[in-house]
Amino acid sequence: MSEQGHSAEGRGRDFDAVIVGAGFAGLYMLHKMKSAGLSACVFETGDGVGGTWYWNSYPGARCDVPSMEYSYQFDEDLQQEWEWTERYSSQGEILSYLEHVTDRFGLRPHIRFNTKVSAASFNEESGDWAIETDDGDQVSSQFLIMATGCLSARFTPEIEGMDSFEGALAHTGNWPKDGIDVAGKRVGVIGTGSSGIQVAPMLAREAGELFVFQRSPAFSVPSQNKPLDAAEQKAIKARYADFRAEAKRSRAGILYGLGEGSALDADAALLKEEFEKRWQAGGLGFTAAFHDLFDTVEANGTAADFVRDKISEIVKDPEVAEALTPHTLIGCKRLCVDAGYYDTFNRENVTLVDLRKGAIERFTGTGIIVGGSEVPLDVVVLATGFDALTGALLRVDIKGRGGVTLKEKWSEGPKTYLGHSISGFPNLFAITGPGSPSVLSNLVPSIEQDVDWVGRCIAHMREHGHQVIEATPDAEEEWVAHVSEVAHRSIYPLEDSWYVGSNVPGKPRVFLPYIGFPDFVERCNKVADQGYTGYGLS
Ligand code: NAP
C-alpha cells in the first residue's frame, strides 16, 4: 500500500483514514483525503469499484434518479465532460462512470480489493482504530470512515431447503458476473420490490416460463426512460451549478417540481389531470404532484387510487390485476419505478404466484413448494432486499469506548448525531448513515454533503491540534428525537417497509432516514460553523 506509514502526524499509525467501501461514498471520501494530503486506504470486498452498482448487475438494473442529477458535482470538469446516454442510467453505465472517476483521480492504487473489513476497535490510549480484515491483516488508523452504503447488506429469508435446490439460485444484490442463462427455462422471482419489479420484465422476455412469487403487491410507476436529448444535456451543463443548487433546495435534493396545490383541495378532474401528467412524465416525481401526499392518509389515497385504476387498465385478467393491486399507502414503502412491469403479467409465459393464498413452504431440489404443491423451477432469483442502513454497519464487529459493540449500542435501534457520528465511537464517521436523508434523498449529493462535512471537520481538527472528536450523548439523544419527530409529522412511519426495518425479522422498528435534505444541510453546516457544537474535541 503506497501510502502506508506516511501519517501526517508521524504517530506510527498506518493511515490517517481507513475507508470501508469503494462505491460513490468511498471513492469521493478517498479523493477528499488524498487532496488534503492525508494518507488513506479503501478496503473493498469486491474485486472492482462501484459498491451497489458493482453488486446489483441483474438484468434491468437501472437508477431511478435522472442521470444528470445522479452524478458527482464536486469537480466541474468531470460533470461537464461526462456524457450520459439515457435519462435514467443503466447499472453498466454508472459502473463505467465510477471506473472512470477512479482512474481520473488516481484512486485505484489506494484501494485494497477483495478485502473485507471484519472488525474494528477503538484504542482509548492511542486514540486510533485497529481495523481487522478477513485475510487476517490488521491496520491502524486515526479515522474510520464507513462508506458501506445504505442498501448493501443483502437480506435472504430463511426458507427451508434452499441449500438443497439444484438449479441456479442468485440474489439480485449479488448477481453472478457472467450472468445466468435463463433462455427457455422455468424461472422464479421471489420478491416484488424495486429489484423484483426491474428484473421480472427482463427475465420474462428470455425465460420459457416466469413465476413471480409475490407476498405483498407494490406500487410502481413507469420510468418513461429514453435516450438523453443532446440539447437538453447541453442546456443543463450550461447552468450546471445553478441546476444543482436548485435541486439542493428541494425536499429530496431532486428536481421533481413539487406541486404547490393540496390534493385535498383538488376536484376529481384536477386530480386525474395532475396524476396523468406525472404518470406520462415518468419516475418518482409522481408523488410530488401535490405538496401534501405524505402529510395525510386522505391526500395520499388520491395518488394510490390513481395507480390502482392504472393497474386495472393495464392488466387484462381482472383476477391477476386485483392480486397485483396494493391496498396500502403509496410511497411510504419505497415507490418502484419500472419498464413495463404490470404489462408483463399479460404475457402467456408469466404467472403471478400470490403468496397470500399460500406461503412458500420450502425449496425442493427441483422447485418451490407453495400451498402444498411444487412449482418446478430451473432458476430462482431472490429479489428479497436488504438490511437497510444499519445492516452493513452492524455486520462489522465495531467496538467503541470500553469495548462496547455497536450492536449493543444499537440494540433498540440506531442512534447517531447528524447521521454520521456516534457517541462512544470517536473518530468514526458513517457516510449517509441512519438519521441522515440518505435513502429519502438523491444519494450522490447526500454523499457529497457528508464527505465534505467530514473533510471540513478533519481539517478543523488538524488546524486546532485536536486528535479525537466524539459526539456527546446529549447531542445524539436530541438528534434521534428530532429525526423521529420529523418522521412522525408525515405518514411515512405508518407503513411496514425497510424504512422502518420491518422487512428483517427481529430488527427494531425505528424510522431510519431523516426527512428533508435542505434542513439537514443547514443543521450540519450550523454545527460546523459554530465550532462543532454537540461534539467533544480533545
Ligand atoms: P425490497 O423493496 O425490500 O423488496 C423485497 C421483496 O422481497 C418484497 O416484495 C418482500 O415482500 C419480498 N420478500 C422478502 N422476504 C420474502 C419471503 N420470505 N417470501 C416472499 N417474499 C419475500 O428490496 P429491493 O426490491 O431489493 O429494493 C430495496 C431498495 O433498493 C428499493 O426500495 C430502492 O430504494 C433500492 N433499489 C432501487 C432501484 C432503482 O433505483 N431503480 C432498484 C432496486 C433497488 P414483502 O413486501 O411482503 O416484505
Side-chain angles (χ1 to χ4, degrees):
M1 208 29 68
S2 58
E3 299 281 21
Q4 201 148 349
H6 289 270
S7 164
E9 301 292 315
R11 299 185 72 216
R13 58 173 79 102
D14 295 314
F15 298 102
D16 292 323
V18 159
I19 300 159
V20 188
F24 266 99
L27 293 175
Y28 181 41
M29 194 73 240
L30 176 59
H31 173 64
K32 187 104 216 150
M33 295 288 101
K34 269 174 47 60
S35 308
L38 273 73
S39 65
C41 172
V42 167
F43 288 95
E44 166 56 51
T45 308
D47 65 6
V49 299
T52 287
W53 302 104
Y54 170 91
W55 297 104
N56 289 267
S57 58
Y58 59 85
R62 185 178 292 285
C63 189
D64 56 16
V65 173
S67 313
M68 295 303 288
E69 297 187 64
Y70 194 82
S71 47
Y72 290 121
Q73 57 193 286
F74 69 82
D75 187 277
E76 182 59 15
D77 290 343
L78 171 69
Q79 70 172 359
Q80 286 296 335
E81 287 165 22
W82 184 265
E83 298 279 326
W84 295 105
T85 65
E86 294 179 89
R87 180 183 185 199
Y88 296 106
S89 301
S90 65
Q91 170 269 334
E93 191 161 332
I94 299 174
L95 192 57
S96 303
Y97 170 75
L98 289 172
E99 277 165 2
H100 168 76
V101 168
T102 304
D103 293 326
R104 184 187 177 110
F105 295 100
L107 304 177
R108 212 171 283 275
H110 311 284
I111 305 172
R112 206 181 281 184
F113 293 105
N114 298 306
T115 311
K116 192 176 187 154
V117 168
S118 49
S121 54
F122 183 69
N123 181 326
E124 293 186 52
E125 261 172 47
S126 66
D128 288 343
W129 283 90
I131 295 138
E132 285 171 43
T133 62
D134 63 354
D135 54 12
D137 201 6
Q138 196 179 69
V139 296
S140 57
S141 173
Q142 182 178 11
F143 297 102
L144 172 62
I145 303 173
M146 301 299 286
T148 39
C150 301
L151 293 153
S152 49
R154 291 181 288 279
F155 170 68
T156 300
E158 282 179 24
I159 303 175
E160 193 190 322
M162 200 187 280
D163 289 346
S164 66
F165 181 61
E166 288 156 17
L169 179 81
H171 193 291
T172 45
N174 188 15
W175 198 255
K177 289 295 163 224
D178 42 6
I180 298 179
D181 179 14
V182 298
K185 297 195 170 151
R186 292 173 64 88
V187 180
V189 175
I190 303 178
T192 53
S194 299
S195 305
I197 275 174
Q198 284 189 329
V199 80
M202 300 298 287
L203 296 175
R205 291 183 202 169
E206 299 269 322
E209 280 194 75
L210 178 72
F211 297 85
V212 178
F213 295 84
Q214 173 194 271
R215 190 166 64 182
S216 316
F219 281 112
S220 188
V221 295
S223 68
Q224 315 287 18
N225 185 39
K226 55 185 179 191
L228 194 55
D229 181 59
E232 188 190 337
Q233 182 153 195
K234 204 169 160 205
I236 291 173
K237 285 185 176 177
R239 53 176 297 272
Y240 225 153
D242 289 346
F243 176 85
R244 298 288 202 174
E246 208 181 304
K248 282 184 180 173
R249 288 193 289 274
S250 73
R251 184 168 57 189
I254 307 177
L255 286 169
Y256 289 140
L258 183 62
E260 284 171 14
S262 158
L264 299 178
D265 292 341
D267 62 16
L270 182 61
L271 287 171
K272 192 158 190 223
E273 186 189 324
E274 287 301 314
F275 288 132
E276 186 64 37
K277 230 190 279 169
R278 298 274 175 163
W279 182 273
Q280 294 308 331
L284 295 168
F286 180 81
T287 46
F290 295 92
H291 72 77
D292 55 354
L293 295 180
F294 293 100
D295 293 350
T296 64
V297 170
E298 294 72 27
N300 187 277
T302 62
D305 283 345
F306 179 88
V307 180
R308 284 191 272 265
D309 289 347
K310 282 285 182 195
I311 298 170
S312 70
E313 279 168 29
I314 298 168
V315 182
K316 295 195 179 108
D317 180 329
E319 238 179 82
V320 178
E322 178 46 35
L324 284 166
T325 301
H327 293 283
T328 58
L329 299 168
I330 185 169
C332 297
K333 182 176 191 170
R334 173 64 151 72
L335 182 62
C336 304
V337 177
D338 69 277
Y341 175 68
Y342 295 123
D343 192 36
T344 295
F345 293 91
N346 293 325
R347 294 177 65 109
E348 291 208 337
N349 68 335
V350 176
T351 306
L352 181 70
V353 184
D354 187 347
L355 299 176
R356 292 167 301 181
K357 291 187 179 157
I360 293 178
E361 289 165 25
R362 62 187 166 88
F363 273 79
T364 63
T366 53
I368 292 177
I369 307 279
V370 174
S373 45
E374 186 186 59
V375 180
L377 295 165
D378 304 308
V379 177
V380 173
V381 174
L382 299 166
T384 47
F386 301 90
D387 183 351
L389 281 124
T390 54
L393 295 165
L394 292 174
R395 286 181 193 185
V396 179
D397 182 18
I398 301 178
K399 290 194 181 82
R401 279 195 197 282
V404 174
T405 65
L406 190 59
K407 213 173 253 170
E408 288 161 349
K409 160 116 190 177
W410 283 4
S411 60
E412 289 168 14
K415 290 184 163 65
T416 67
Y417 179 41
L418 305 176
H420 48 59
S421 303
I422 306 162
S423 144
F425 295 77
N427 290 2
L428 181 149
F429 297 105
I431 305 301
T432 62
S436 78
S438 56
V439 292
L440 282 180
S441 68
N442 180 0
L443 265 162
V444 185
S446 265
I447 283 167
E448 288 184 309
Q449 157 68 27
D450 274 2
V451 168
D452 288 345
W453 192 95
V454 170
R456 182 179 167 192
C457 173
I458 291 176
H460 173 91
M461 290 174 69
R462 301 253 143 174
E463 207 181 306
H464 294 84
H466 297 308
Q467 288 298 323
V468 177
I469 183 162
E470 182 179 355
T472 67
D474 285 353
E476 185 177 79
E477 280 305 319
E478 271 173 39
W479 184 253
V480 170
H482 174 62
V483 172
S484 170
E485 190 260 321
V486 172
H488 286 87
R489 273 185 233 152
S490 79
I491 55 168
Y492 273 107
L494 298 182
E495 205 67 70
D496 279 351
S497 77
W498 58 258
Y499 290 148
V500 293
S502 63
N503 63 322
V504 176
K507 189 165 172 169
R509 191 183 180 103
V510 171
F511 192 78
L512 297 165
Y514 180 77
I515 301 174
F517 182 72
D519 281 353
F520 179 77
V521 172
E522 199 184 315
R523 281 166 190 270
C524 288
N525 289 346
K526 197 168 155 199
V527 166
D529 291 346
Q530 294 181 345
Y532 297 90
T533 43
Y535 285 95
L537 283 147
S538 57

